[in-house]
Amino acid sequence: MNRDASNLRLRVWRRDSPDRYRLVKLVLNIAQARHRAWLAGEPDP
C-alpha cells in the first residue's frame, strides 16, 4: 500500500516570488462578479 501512496503524491511548483499580478486580477474579478450579482439582486455566485 505504501508503494501506491507514493504514486499519488501531488507535484508542487514553487516560484521565487508569487505572481502578484495574477493574484490581484483573480481577487478583483471575484469581487466584481459578486458586486454585479448584488446589484442585480441575484444570489452570491
Side-chain angles (χ1 to χ4, degrees):
M1 185 162 188
N2 288 337
R3 185 175 53 183
D4 294 335
S6 65
N7 292 333
L8 297 176
R9 289 184 186 162
L10 297 176
R11 293 183 184 189
V12 177
W13 295 346
R14 295 187 185 257
R15 297 183 180 180
D16 293 337
S17 62
D19 191 356
R20 288 189 186 113
Y21 175 77
R22 288 182 65 197
L23 179 61
V24 169
K25 187 176 176 181
L26 175 70
V27 170
L28 290 177
N29 285 338
I30 291 170
Q32 186 176 28
R34 293 184 74 189
H35 182 68
R36 277 194 215 130
W38 179 75
L39 288 176
E42 298 172 356
D44 195 15

